[in-house]
Amino acid sequence: MNQILFFSLSALTLLTAFFVVFTKNPMYSVLALIACFFTIAGHYIMLSAQFLAIVHLIVYAGAIMVLFLFTIMLFRPVAVVWWLESSVLET
């Protein structure tokens, strides 16, 4: 049971990490990074380090990623505006 959980968490961690790197929309990248942090916290829980998992979620997924998300939403970089305009024009 532990091996199945470990390999599924590892596969999900790698999948979300690749999604962070290769996606073009920064909003999706931040959300995938938050999911990656949750799967890493799952690894910590499997190692019986519950305190480290909770601190990891509070500090990274709870604070830093929310700040990244708000920064992207408020400032809307030029690349995001260009991507949104080009995708609207194509449809």
Side-chain angles (χ1 to χ4, degrees), residues 35 71 89:
T71 303
L89 292 175

Side-chain angles (χ1 to χ4, degrees), residues 7 27 30 43:
F7 286 124
M27 293 290 289
V30 169
H43 280 97

Side-chain angles (χ1 to χ4, degrees), residues 10-22:
S10 298
L12 195 58
T13 301
L14 289 175
L15 181 71
T16 56
F18 284 128
F19 193 71
V20 167
V21 173
F22 293 117

Side-chain angles (χ1 to χ4, degrees), residues 15-65:
L15 181 71
T16 56
F18 284 128
F19 193 71
V20 167
V21 173
F22 293 117
T23 187
K24 292 185 181 192
N25 192 344
M27 293 290 289
Y28 295 146
S29 180
V30 169
L31 293 175
L33 192 57
I34 291 171
C36 187
F37 285 155
F38 273 98
T39 57
I40 292 172
H43 280 97
Y44 289 145
I45 290 172
M46 286 186 60
L47 290 171
S48 297
Q50 290 85 6
F51 177 75
L52 189 58
I54 296 300
V55 169
H56 181 81
L57 286 179
I58 290 171
V59 171
Y60 286 109
I64 294 173
M65 282 297 103

